[in-house]
Amino acid sequence: MAFPPRYEPLSAVDKDDESEQFIHRRKPIGKKRFILYFLSSAALMCALFSATRLARSRGFWITCYGPQRNQSNLARLPSHYTLPSGDKIPSVALGVWQAGKGEVGSAVKTALGAGYRHIDGAWIYRNEAEVGQALQESDVPREQLWLTSKLWNTFHAPEDIEPVLDDSLSKLGTDYLDLYLIHWPIAFKKDGNNILEEDLTADPYPTWQKLEELVDKGKVRNIGISKVQNLTSNSLKYQPAVNQVELNFWNPQPELLKWSKENGLLLEAYSPLGSNKQVGESLAVPEVKNIACKLGITPAQVIISWHVQRGTVVLPKSVTPSRIVENFDVFEIPQEDFEKLERAAASHPPKRVVNPSKGWNLPFDVSPKRDDKHSVSRVAMSFQQHPDAPCLRFPENIGLHANVTIEAAANMLARAAQLSLTVPYSWTFIDKPVGTPARDRTRTMRADVLTSITEGQVVLIFLPNPAQPPNDGIRYQDQETRYALPVPGNREIEVMEIKYGFVPNTQETSAWRVRRRYRLIKGGHPHITLVHYTRGPMIQTVPSLMNSPVRQYPLRQINDPPVYVMGDKTGQKAYPPSSAPPPPQGPIGMSPQPMGMNQPGMGMVPQGMNPQAMGMSPQGIGMTQQAMLAQQNSNMESLERRRERERERARERSGSMGTRPGPPRLDDDDSADEFEVISTRTLALTRYKRNHELMEEVFRKAAFGTLMTPPPPPPAYSIFDELELESKVAKLQQEVEVLQAQAAERTARRSAAEDVIVASGHTPMEVSS
C-alpha cells in the first residue's frame, strides 16, 4: 500500500493484540515553523493587551463596580469666565500647537461642530492660515468665536508689533483678536538667530504700551502675558487679563493660582495632561482613575474638569475627532474627591516640561524649577508697584462729605474749573486718606487723643492722565469699574470706583475702603478729577497682603512751589511774595540745561511727572507760549539780581574811598522789598505787553494806513449753500435708516439661528458666570 510522502507506515503487529493498532503518524513540525507560531501568538497577545490598556485609560472599559456612564446626571462646570473688560472667555479651548498641516483644519471643524468656541493659536505655530480657512468654511458667526494669538519673541520692539498682528489677523480672516498674549518673557533681536534683546527682556514695558495702543485702536480686545511676565514698576493703563502658564497634575503651581485669584488675574493651563510622555502617567494616576470610575467618565475628562473646577481656562490639544469631542465635556467633581486630587497633585515635587532655556542658549533659566513664590512676586510687580510721584492738588479744603451724588460731583467739578484759572495747585502726596481724625482735647494734659476717624474726605486733583491715579497708600482687593452717566446741563460725567481697600502694615484686618473718582468728560475740564474716599462693603483682608505696602516710607519732602494748571498762566510757578526763585546754575543768568527741561526755577514740573501735564512739550522742543514766558521771566530775574550785585559792589567801593554816598534810590532800598517794590516778574509782563501793543500799532499803520482795527472777515460758513447742505443732510439720514434696517435684519437672523440651535438640543454659547 502506498502512503503519501508525509506519512510513514508503522511496523506490522499482531492484529489479535488489542494494545497495538495499525495507524498512520504525522511527521513532527519543523523548528522554524514552531518559532513562527510562537511569535505570532505573542504579538497577538501584546496587541490585545495594549488595546485593553488604551480602552481602560480612555474610559471605554472601566473595571469597577461603580455606576455606569450617565453624564446627564452630572453637574456642569462654568462654560465662561468674565475678564476685567467684561468679555466672556470660554473655559475650554482647542489648542493647535504641533497640529500638522492638513490636520489642524479638520481638527478646528470637528471642534466647532462639537461646541468649541475658543481657539488658542499663535503666530509661531505656522498654521494660522489653515485655522482661518476652517473658520471661514464654518457657519459659526465671528461674534460667537474667541480667537487667541500670541506675539513671538522676535517682534517685541514697539514698531514691529502691529505689522505682525496684522499678519495674524489677515491669516485668520478677522479684523480683531479677542485675546493677544506676549508668548514668552524673552525678547530676541530680529536677525533670526535667537540673540537675546537685553533691554526689552529686562523691561517689557514699551512692548506693553504698544499692546495698550492696539486695544485703543480696536484691533485687540484683551491683552495678557504668558509664562509669567515682569512689567517693572510702571503703572499700567490696562492690566493683564490672562496669564497662560504650564499647569497639570505634575506641575499644579498652587501658589501662583492662589495669588492670581486674589488679584483678579485669570490663568490659562497649557499642557493640561502633561507632555506627550506624561499623558499615560497622568491618566493612570490612582486618584484620577477612582474618580473616573465613580463618575462614569474617562480619566482625561477628570483631569480637564479638574482644571476648570480650579478656576482656570484649559487648553487640551488633539487632532483625533473622538478625543476632541470627549475633551469638551467637563463635569463637576465632588468636593471630597476634588480635594483628594489637589493633595495628590501637590504631594510630589513639580516637574516642568516646557523649558527652552538651553535650546535658546539663554544666560538664565526662563522657567525656574522652584519658582512658585518667585513667580508670584514677579507677577505682583506689574500690579502693586506704582511710581511714587506727587500730584497736583487743589489747595483749598473741600471738607468731609459722607455721600457725594452725581449732580453734586458735577457741580463741584464745574466750580473747580472756574477757580483753577486763578488758583495754583500744590504739589503733594495723597497718603491713606480716610478723613480727619476726631481728637479729644478735654483731657487734663491737653493731649490730642485719637477717638475716631470720619470717612468722607474729598480731594480735588489735576491728572494729566486720568487712567493713572496717584498712589494713595491703600491696597485694593478689587478691579476698578468705570461707567459714564449724563448730568443736567448737557454734561456727561465718568465715575471710576474701586472697593475693598485697606492700609497694609496696620491693624486693619478687613478691607472696607472705597475710592470713587469723578471727572467731566463732556461739559467740563477732563483733567480735573474729584476723588471721594468713603466706607463700603467689608471683606476679609488677604493675610499674605497685610504686610505688603504699596509705597515706600517715609515720603520725601516736597519744596516745589504751586503751579497754575489752567488759563493764561498755565505752567507758571506761583512763588510767595517773600521768596524769590532759586538762582541760575549757568553763566549770565542762563540755565545749563536746554530750555524747557525739568530744572528748578524754570516754571517746569518736578521730576517724575509728565512735562505735557502743564501744556509743555517733552525735552523742551516746541515749547508753548506759557513755558517761553516763564523762561523769559527767569532770565529777567537773573539779570536784575546781577545788576543789584553790581550796584552793591559800587556802593562798597565808593564807601571805601571816603566819598559821601548820594541819596538812596528806590531800587537800592531793601526795606520795602517784600511788599512795596514792584517785582521783576510784573515788570517783565508789563514790558512785554507794552512792546506787543506798540508793534501791533506799527503793523496796522503799515498794512492799512490807519490805526483803526480792520473790518472783521465774513462769517466762515457764508460760502456754503444752505439748500445744498440740507439736501446732503437728508441723504445722510436716509443712509442711516438703511443701515439701521440692515442691522435689525441681522439681529433677527441671529436670533432665529439661536432658536434653531436650541430646538436641535444643543446648548447655545450664552454668557454664564
Side-chain angles (χ1 to χ4, degrees), residues 251-561:
N251 186 31
Q253 303 197 62
E255 292 292 335
L256 179 60
L257 179 61
K258 177 183 177 182
W259 183 92
S260 300
K261 288 183 178 180
E262 293 171 352
N263 291 272
L265 179 63
L266 181 65
L267 291 186
E268 285 187 342
Y270 72 84
S271 298
L273 301 178
S275 66
N276 295 334
K277 298 180 180 179
Q278 289 178 327
V279 172
E281 299 179 12
S282 301
L283 302 179
V285 172
E287 290 79 5
V288 174
K289 296 175 65 176
N290 292 337
I291 296 174
C293 176
K294 181 178 180 179
L295 300 182
I297 59 179
T298 67
Q301 289 176 323
V302 171
I303 295 179
I304 296 174
S305 301
W306 170 65
H307 282 290
V308 178
Q309 196 162 337
R310 298 182 85 198
T312 66
V313 175
V314 60
L315 311 173
K317 59 183 183 65
S318 178
V319 294
T320 305
S322 60
R323 294 182 181 178
I324 293 175
V325 175
E326 175 189 328
N327 294 339
F328 185 68
D329 293 328
V330 293
F331 308 95
E332 183 178 359
I333 301 174
Q335 187 62 28
E336 181 180 0
D337 296 328
F338 177 78
E339 293 176 357
K340 289 182 180 179
L341 189 54
E342 280 284 324
R343 289 193 296 269
S347 62
H348 53 78
K351 300 178 183 178
R352 191 178 301 276
V353 177
V354 182
N355 189 354
S357 302
K358 294 183 179 180
W360 291 343
N361 296 321
L362 297 178
F364 54 88
D365 193 351
V366 68
S367 299
K369 295 182 179 179
R370 294 178 294 179
D371 66 336
D372 287 344
K373 296 182 180 179
H374 180 62
S375 299
V376 172
S377 64
R378 291 175 64 190
V379 178
M381 292 183 68
S382 64
F383 286 88
Q384 305 304 333
Q385 294 186 359
H386 300 275
D388 214 358
C391 65
L392 285 168
R393 178 177 176 178
F394 190 73
E396 299 182 8
N397 185 16
I398 304 179
L400 300 177
H401 301 266
N403 295 308
V404 176
T405 63
I406 299 297
E407 186 173 357
N411 294 334
M412 289 183 186
L413 290 170
R415 177 59 177 164
Q418 297 177 358
L419 295 177
S420 300
L421 296 173
T422 57
V423 177
Y425 279 52
S426 302
W427 292 105
T428 183
F429 289 104
I430 298 178
D431 189 57
K432 302 184 284 293
V434 293
T436 303
R439 299 183 181 274
D440 185 4
R441 298 179 178 269
T442 62
R443 303 298 179 93
T444 305
M445 301 300 295
R446 291 287 182 179
D448 292 348
V449 180
L450 183 63
T451 59
S452 64
I453 295 180
T454 304
E455 294 79 28
Q457 182 173 355
V458 177
V459 181
L460 187 66
I461 58 178
F462 182 84
L463 287 182
N465 186 1
Q468 297 181 1
N471 190 351
D472 53 14
I474 301 176
R475 182 179 291 277
Y476 297 93
Q477 298 180 175
D478 192 18
Q479 294 286 338
E480 190 174 53
T481 58
R482 181 178 304 181
Y483 53 91
L485 297 173
V487 291
N490 195 22
R491 297 175 297 177
E492 187 174 358
I493 191 170
E494 184 182 51
V495 184
M496 292 152 283
E497 181 183 65
I498 187 169
K499 299 183 294 185
Y500 308 127
F502 70 96
V503 179
N505 287 336
T506 61
Q507 297 180 354
E508 296 185 8
T509 59
S510 57
W512 50 267
R513 301 172 187 268
V514 177
R515 182 188 70 195
R516 295 185 181 93
R517 296 190 290 137
Y518 305 88
R519 71 183 185 103
L520 286 173
I521 57 179
K522 182 180 180 181
H525 200 288
H527 295 317
I528 297 180
T529 303
L530 186 72
V531 187
H532 182 220
Y533 293 90
T534 184
R535 179 181 291 270
M538 182 184 305
I539 63 173
Q540 192 70 21
T541 303
V542 178
S544 60
L545 302 178
M546 293 182 62
N547 297 322
S548 300
V550 295
R551 73 186 338 165
Q552 295 181 356
Y553 293 95
L555 299 176
R556 64 182 178 88
Q557 186 177 2
I558 304 176
N559 298 320
D560 298 284

Side-chain angles (χ1 to χ4, degrees), residues 683-700:
L683 181 62
L685 289 174
T686 304
R687 292 174 178 173
Y688 178 83
K689 182 178 179 181
R690 182 192 60 189
N691 294 338
H692 179 76
E693 293 176 352
L694 178 61
M695 294 305 298
E696 186 178 6
E697 293 181 359
V698 172
F699 288 137
R700 287 179 182 174

Side-chain angles (χ1 to χ4, degrees), residues 653-664:
R653 288 195 301 268
S654 63
S656 62
M657 296 175 61
T659 58
R660 185 177 180 180

Side-chain angles (χ1 to χ4, degrees), residues 46-240:
C46 291
L48 291 175
F49 178 80
S50 300
T52 303
R53 183 178 180 182
L54 179 62
R56 288 182 178 179
S57 65
R58 302 303 296 182
F60 297 109
W61 178 15
I62 301 178
T63 56
C64 66
Y65 298 97
Q68 298 297 322
R69 179 179 300 183
N70 187 5
Q71 298 179 357
S72 60
N73 297 330
L74 300 179
R76 293 280 180 171
L77 292 170
S79 60
H80 295 75
Y81 297 108
T82 303
L83 297 181
S85 63
D87 294 338
K88 308 292 183 178
I89 180 173
S91 57
V92 180
L94 175 69
V96 296
W97 179 47
Q98 291 184 337
K101 186 176 181 180
E103 295 179 335
V104 63
S106 301
V108 170
K109 293 178 181 179
T110 302
L112 295 178
Y116 286 81
R117 292 299 181 266
H118 184 177
I119 307 298
D120 181 84
W123 180 89
I124 197 62
Y125 295 169
R126 308 293 185 183
N127 53 18
E128 287 184 328
E130 191 171 349
V131 171
Q133 182 65 28
L135 295 176
Q136 296 296 326
E137 295 176 358
S138 68
D139 56 354
V140 180
R142 173 63 183 92
E143 56 270 16
Q144 295 184 11
L145 293 173
W146 185 280
L147 300 182
T148 298
S149 188
K150 306 177 188 71
L151 176 69
W152 186 239
N153 309 345
T154 314
F155 308 105
H156 280 207
E159 64 272 13
D160 298 332
I161 297 177
E162 191 166 4
V164 73
L165 172 63
D166 292 338
D167 182 61
S168 295
L169 294 176
S170 176
K171 292 178 180 178
L172 292 173
T174 181
D175 55 356
Y176 71 93
L177 287 177
D178 298 279
L179 180 61
Y180 200 40
L181 305 177
I182 299 179
H183 205 148
W184 283 92
I186 299 296
F188 290 155
K189 295 183 178 180
K190 290 184 288 188
D191 57 2
N193 295 325
N194 295 345
I195 299 178
L196 186 66
E197 176 63 52
E198 297 182 358
D199 293 339
L200 288 175
T201 300
D203 182 13
Y205 186 60
T207 303
W208 189 261
Q209 283 185 308
K210 184 62 178 181
L211 294 181
E212 291 175 334
E213 179 183 334
L214 295 176
V215 174
D216 294 334
K217 288 185 176 181
K219 292 186 176 183
V220 179
R221 296 181 62 92
N222 300 273
I223 51 179
I225 54 183
S226 183
K227 291 87 174 175
V228 182
Q229 216 38 246
N230 174 19
L231 296 176
T232 69
S233 60
N234 298 280
S235 60
L236 308 179
K237 183 177 181 180
Y238 298 110
Q239 299 289 353

